[in-house]
Amino acid sequence: MTSMSDISTPQSRAQGFGLSNPILSQTSRQMLDLVNRLHSTGVQVDIDLPQIAVIGSQSAGKSSLIESISGITLPRAAGTCTRCPTECRLSRSTDPWKCTVSLRISDDGKTRTEKFGDDIMDKADVEERIRRAQWAILNPTLRNSRGVRYFLTGDDHGANSELSFSSCFVSLQISGPGVADLSFCDLPGLIAGVGSTGNIGDIDLVKNLVATYIKRPSCIILLTVACETDFQNQGAQEMAKLHDPEGKRTVGVLTKPDRIPTGEEQNWISILRNEKETLENGWYCVKQPSSAEISAGMTWEKARKSEEEFFASTASWSDLDEMYKRYLCARNLVDRLSTILSDLISKRLPEIQDEIEKSIIATRDALQNLPKPPSSDPRNEIASLLHVFVQDLARHINGVPEAGLLQTIRPAQEQFRRAIRVTAPDFQPFERRHAKKKKINKAEFLLSEEGLEDFAIPNETVDSWSDKKSVADVTSIETNSSEDIVPDDAIYIDEVMQRADEARTRELPGSYPFVVQETYIKGIIKKWRTPAHKLCRIVYHILGEYVRQLIWHNLGAFGQGHLAQRVKLGHNTSSSEYILTCMRVTVSTFETTSRNAWSGPKNVLIGS
């Protein structure tokens, strides 16, 4: 029968195992210490830090596996299964053994770390402290009202928890001689079903909680599978395949090999040999103490010795080839995990440094955008802010190079200009009776100058009324076309002369009253009313929105936005009144323009 010295020699046990082995690179331990310090800051919320996540179904032996790695005892009383993540950061030290328990709590999007009691110097006290820490995590209302110190001394016997599970976690920082340099997180076991008093929503809650950890590319999945249950009936392996389909970052662990039903040993042996359910990092098998042995007070050292004796003396395991024996026992598992984690950290550190630098830059930018601290002289500060706002507004009114107020208004102004140009009177320099026989050529250069290219019509199809959208040349041509249509709004020279003759009273010969020009001017200007109203409304809305944006830009950071809100309300009231006043003045100006259009004598010569 093969001796277990092939698996773990006394020399290796004396040296320690994993990264605690002095033979391993000191640099690797320093890198792990660095990542552990980063975990302590909570930066893993924003940055994907290398970590080992222990997953499995409930009662798959996860807690026992954690105990074999960390050397501590986890709560095992009825109903005390893992209901929140437990983060363990192990580090080798020459100082006496010590365990520090902390709570990582997330409330309203904010994460904080609270130390839970004094440092523990005796391993026997860890189990009770973890149980109380989980009690604090699962009762947020009581924790917020009484503080975490209440849970250190309060009586929790028979107390019901407010939550079944929580994403907040208990953090254990363990250091001492011979402790493996390792960092991992024990996640709640996947639930296959709930009892009559359970909550069906807990099934998905635990799945989502586990998924938030193992979906990260830098997470090493430590998949625990109990040999006492059919492999395909354990949901943890399905989740591992979902988030790591190629099996590159999953390490499989078979637990409870002493409970394999008779005759099924070879099924599990083939998995250990990586012949079935293949993983890049292979499968390991560990044997943990039974509940009776733990109750009898079996120590961690005796448990490791008992594990070695089990694999050395049990058929199927002791008959394995030499190359597969290194996949037995917790010590070999920890050695492999230490190597995988070390390699991953070495690969990720340059990327982590870049991500942290980018995060620092983004944080500094965010800090610069924070409002200034409250001023000791708020009146002067408000006056200064208003002065800056007025200057900024004046600058935009005068014009800024890109996407400014004037550029925003310009399309409406262009539309208004075209609308006004279309109202130009269609004066024809010949009598109406010649309308079907005469045409005038348009002046094409004026189309470009006035921005009316869209209204251009070929010369040969332009009839006498097309001059509404252009300025006509005085040159006329004769035509015999009988199909020309004479528009009703054309004004012919004989009609102008007729109106002038009818308006004459006591004027000198060759003089005509100004009322003739005034009548034509009023008729033309009357058409400007609708485009002018439209332009005013558009400019009013554009200017209002633009000013509101400037208000929030210049004043929004003061007094949590109250100053900007007050200025905005005043702006809405005063600007509305001012715009309405301007519109009334504009309309009045249009109506009086005809009376003030000519500064010369009232009697002018028509046709001279």
Side-chain angles (χ1 to χ4, degrees):
M1 194 168 289
T2 305
S3 172
M4 287 304 297
S5 60
D6 295 332
I7 302 175
S8 179
T9 65
Q11 182 180 3
S12 67
R13 291 195 295 269
Q15 291 173 338
F17 55 91
L19 290 175
S20 64
N21 192 332
I23 298 177
L24 297 180
S25 171
Q26 182 68 21
T27 303
S28 298
R29 289 196 294 271
Q30 291 175 348
M31 289 191 300
L32 180 61
D33 290 340
L34 175 60
V35 172
N36 284 338
R37 290 197 299 271
L38 291 175
H39 275 285
S40 300
T41 66
V43 74
Q44 68 269 21
V45 176
D46 302 310
I47 296 177
D48 184 16
L49 296 179
Q51 188 179 37
I52 298 174
V54 186
I55 70 170
S57 302
Q58 279 192 349
S59 303
K62 291 192 302 87
S63 297
S64 298
L65 178 62
I66 298 302
E67 291 176 350
S68 68
I69 296 175
S70 63
I72 61 174
T73 302
L74 299 178
R76 289 180 176 272
T80 57
C81 63
T82 305
R83 296 191 176 273
C84 64
T86 302
E87 181 185 81
C88 296
R89 297 198 303 273
L90 314 178
S91 60
R92 180 174 178 267
S93 173
T94 57
D95 297 329
W97 187 93
K98 179 179 68 174
C99 176
T100 302
V101 182
S102 303
L103 306 181
R104 176 76 69 174
I105 302 171
S106 297
D107 288 326
D108 299 328
K110 299 179 180 179
T111 303
R112 69 181 188 276
T113 301
E114 292 192 33
K115 187 176 180 181
F116 193 69
D118 299 330
D119 293 341
I120 302 174
M121 309 306 294
D122 187 352
K123 292 183 180 181
D125 298 332
V126 175
E127 180 181 358
E128 175 67 13
R129 183 71 60 84
I130 295 176
R131 185 179 61 80
R132 289 184 172 273
Q134 290 185 357
W135 180 35
I137 288 291
L138 297 176
N139 292 274
T141 303
L142 186 62
R143 184 183 67 235
N144 293 333
S145 62
R146 298 197 179 187
V148 297
R149 294 187 63 85
Y150 167 79
F151 296 91
L152 289 168
T153 57
D155 184 10
D156 66 333
H157 294 290
N160 293 325
S161 296
E162 180 181 349
L163 303 176
S164 300
F165 295 89
S166 175
S167 59
C168 301
F169 61 83
V170 179
S171 177
L172 308 178
Q173 189 168 354
I174 302 172
S175 63
V179 175
D181 282 291
L182 205 58
S183 176
F184 57 88
C185 185
D186 179 25
L187 300 176
L190 298 175
I191 306 173
V194 294
S196 58
T197 59
N199 184 358
I200 191 67
D202 290 342
I203 297 177
D204 289 334
L205 189 151
V206 173
K207 283 184 178 180
N208 294 333
L209 176 60
V210 172
T212 57
Y213 281 82
I214 66 176
K215 70 180 180 181
R216 297 186 173 188
S218 295
C219 178
I220 300 170
I221 305 173
L222 188 58
L223 172 62
T224 58
V225 176
C227 294
E228 63 179 346
T229 308
D230 185 72
F231 184 90
Q232 301 299 332
N233 292 335
Q234 304 188 44
Q237 53 91 17
E238 293 182 0
M239 286 202 67
K241 282 185 177 180
L242 177 64
H243 296 283
D244 182 28
E246 298 180 358
K248 291 185 176 181
R249 53 186 181 91
T250 301
V251 179
V253 181
L254 304 178
T255 62
K256 304 180 181 181
D258 53 324
R259 299 186 184 181
I260 297 177
T262 304
E264 296 183 6
E265 292 85 357
Q266 289 303 316
N267 292 333
W268 298 102
I269 292 294
S270 62
I271 294 178
L272 179 71
R273 290 172 176 168
N274 214 22
E275 296 171 352
K276 296 167 57 177
E277 307 296 336
T278 305
L279 299 175
E280 184 171 302
N281 294 294
W283 287 85
Y284 289 77
C285 187
V286 297
K287 162 67 172 61
Q288 308 303 335
S290 64
S291 299
E293 291 173 331
I294 294 175
S295 300
M298 176 177 281
T299 63
W300 183 82
E301 290 77 9
K302 289 183 178 180
R304 303 283 67 77
K305 184 177 181 180
S306 174
E307 180 185 38
E308 294 176 358
E309 292 175 350
F310 170 82
F311 287 116
S313 60
T314 304
S316 299
W317 304 107
S318 59
D319 296 337
L320 284 172
D321 295 336
E322 297 297 325
M323 63 178 297
Y324 296 117
K325 289 182 179 179
R326 59 190 178 95
Y327 293 100
L328 303 177
C329 293
R331 293 181 182 273
N332 293 322
L333 171 63
V334 173
D335 283 341
R336 182 56 181 160
L337 291 176
S338 298
T339 301
I340 296 173
L341 184 60
S342 176
D343 292 343
L344 180 59
I345 292 174
S346 178
K347 177 184 177 181
R348 278 282 295 154
L349 271 183
E351 301 172 357
I352 292 174
Q353 182 176 1
D354 291 340
E355 293 174 13
I356 290 177
E357 289 177 353
K358 292 178 181 178
S359 180
I360 290 174
I361 293 174
T363 303
R364 287 174 178 171
D365 292 340
L367 289 174
Q368 290 180 353
N369 293 330
L370 289 176
K372 297 180 181 179
S375 173
S376 58
D377 189 1
R379 178 173 297 181
N380 285 340
E381 183 173 357
I382 292 175
S384 176
L385 288 173
L386 292 176
H387 177 69
V388 173
F389 165 68
V390 171
Q391 286 185 326
D392 194 21
L393 179 60
R395 183 174 65 88
H396 283 80
I397 291 176
N398 291 331
V400 293
E402 297 179 0
L405 176 62
L406 300 184
Q407 290 88 336
T408 307
I409 294 176
R410 187 167 295 152
Q413 292 175 325
E414 179 64 20
Q415 186 179 7
F416 172 74
R417 187 186 68 81
R418 294 194 177 209
I420 297 300
R421 183 64 183 85
V422 168
T423 64
D426 184 16
F427 286 112
Q428 299 296 328
F430 44 81
E431 297 178 1
R432 176 177 287 274
R433 58 192 178 88
H434 299 303
K436 295 183 179 182
K437 298 180 181 181
K438 291 186 178 182
K439 286 184 178 292
I440 55 175
N441 294 328
K442 61 183 179 181
E444 295 182 359
F445 67 91
L446 290 180
L447 292 177
S448 177
E449 291 183 3
E450 297 184 359
L452 296 172
E453 298 91 336
D454 295 339
F455 297 111
I457 304 175
N459 284 336
E460 57 272 15
T461 62
V462 175
D463 46 34
S464 60
W465 56 271
S466 64
D467 194 39
K468 289 170 57 176
K469 298 181 178 62
S470 65
V471 179
D473 195 331
V474 295
T475 306
S476 63
I477 59 174
E478 296 289 337
T479 179
N480 295 321
S481 175
S482 60
E483 298 178 356
D484 292 340
I485 301 175
V486 181
D488 295 335
D489 58 349
I491 303 174
Y492 297 90
I493 192 169
D494 56 333
E495 296 172 348
V496 176
M497 291 303 300
Q498 180 181 355
R499 181 177 293 188
D501 289 335
E502 292 174 351
R504 289 187 61 184
T505 55
R506 297 175 179 271
E507 288 76 15
L508 294 174
S511 298
Y512 297 90
F514 178 73
V515 69
V516 180
Q517 293 95 318
E518 184 180 21
T519 302
Y520 282 114
I521 292 173
K522 283 185 176 181
I524 295 168
I525 293 178
K526 186 177 181 180
K527 301 177 182 179
W528 297 357
R529 186 184 185 97
T530 299
H533 272 282
K534 183 178 180 180
L535 176 64
C536 288
R537 285 195 299 269
I538 293 175
V539 172
Y540 168 70
H541 290 298
I542 292 176
L543 181 60
E545 181 62 27
Y546 205 87
V547 172
R548 280 191 290 270
Q549 292 179 5
L550 289 179
I551 289 173
W552 283 110
H553 175 71
N554 289 276
L555 310 177
F558 185 86
Q560 298 181 347
H562 293 301
L563 176 61
Q565 190 66 26
R566 294 291 298 275
V567 174
K568 180 181 176 181
L569 291 174
H571 155 70
N572 289 338
T573 302
S574 61
S575 62
S576 297
E577 296 175 352
Y578 182 73
I579 292 295
L580 290 175
T581 301
C582 290
M583 292 177 68
R584 286 193 293 268
V585 171
T586 301
V587 172
S588 177
T589 301
F590 287 157
E591 293 176 348
T592 59
T593 297
S594 59
R595 294 192 294 270
N596 302 325
W598 300 93
S599 59
K602 293 297 181 179
N603 296 325
V604 297
L605 179 64
I606 294 181
S608 59

